[in-house]
Amino acid sequence: MSNYNKVIIFIVFLIVFSGALIYLHNTESSMNKNMPDISDSIVSGDSDYNAAVDLLNNKNYDESKNKAISANNNFNQSLILLLSIKDNLTSDTNDVHKKYINSVISELELKMNATDYLMESIDYYKNYQNSTGNEYSSHANEIMKDALEFQNVRNDLVKQNPNLFK
């Protein structure tokens, strides 16, 4: 093999290696860039969900429904961003980041499900079907408890790996 061929192979190798590093860096940069927005939407969704429950307890059904819809929209916004990040993960992505993303996705799916049950309960309470409303509210509460377990996993991952989460 001539020196010319060796140089070409070396250059091609460098280009492929550089491209892989850039892609990996861009994936993690994208994740780090979007995480504050994702986190803000989750916090807003949690706040709206809790406000919806308080309003429901005060029998303010229309405002409760509006807050529940807002909570669902916030959770959905975060979920869309996370699914986009997950679709762009590579096999080289850190396992902690993968676990974090999967935990947050599970958390958000449960929170959206709980919010759907809460909205159903609001409709039943509004139509004076309190027994059915209580069933839906209870189910929403149980699902939200499950979501909080994933939230705790997420928080623990951040606490245990502060160097990976900026």
Side-chain angles (χ1 to χ4, degrees):
M1 186 183 285
S2 73
N3 284 340
Y4 179 72
N5 286 341
K6 289 180 183 177
V7 169
I8 290 176
I9 291 172
F10 181 72
I11 291 172
V12 169
F13 175 77
L14 281 178
I15 291 171
V16 170
F17 182 73
S18 297
L21 283 177
I22 290 169
Y23 183 77
L24 178 62
H25 176 72
N26 286 340
T27 300
E28 289 188 12
S29 289
S30 173
M31 188 171 70
N32 288 332
K33 179 182 150 221
N34 286 315
M35 289 318 290
D37 292 336
I38 291 168
S39 181
D40 289 347
S41 290
I42 294 171
V43 169
S44 294
D46 289 342
S47 176
D48 288 341
Y49 183 90
N50 292 332
V53 170
D54 289 342
L55 290 162
L56 177 60
N57 289 337
N58 291 324
K59 299 183 184 197
N60 190 340
Y61 303 123
D62 292 333
E63 284 301 311
S64 178
K65 185 84 172 223
N66 288 338
K67 284 293 186 181
I69 290 169
S70 180
N72 219 21
N73 289 339
N74 279 305
F75 295 144
N76 191 48
Q77 182 180 349
S78 291
L79 184 60
I80 289 169
L81 287 171
L82 280 167
L83 290 173
S84 173
I85 290 170
K86 184 177 179 178
D87 288 343
N88 292 314
L89 292 179
T90 66
S91 59
D92 294 335
T93 302
N94 185 306
D95 286 341
V96 173
H97 283 136
K98 289 177 185 176
K99 185 174 181 180
Y100 179 88
I101 289 170
N102 288 327
S103 295
V104 181
I105 288 171
S106 296
E107 172 190 345
L108 288 168
E109 288 171 342
L110 287 167
K111 285 182 176 183
M112 290 175 69
N113 195 4
T115 306
D116 289 341
Y117 274 94
L118 180 65
M119 288 190 283
E120 286 290 326
S121 74
I122 293 166
D123 291 338
Y124 284 111
Y125 287 127
K126 192 172 180 178
N127 291 318
Y128 305 104
Q129 296 174 326
N130 292 344
S131 177
T132 307
N134 288 341
E135 288 176 31
Y136 276 87
S137 289
S138 178
H139 201 60
N141 190 40
E142 290 304 313
I143 294 170
M144 191 55 79
K145 284 181 185 176
D146 293 340
L148 293 177
E149 289 179 26
F150 284 100
Q151 181 177 326
N152 290 336
V153 168
R154 170 173 57 100
N155 291 336
D156 287 345
L157 284 170
V158 172
K159 285 179 188 172
Q160 294 168 1
N161 302 283
N163 56 322
L164 295 177
F165 298 96
K166 299 172 176 134

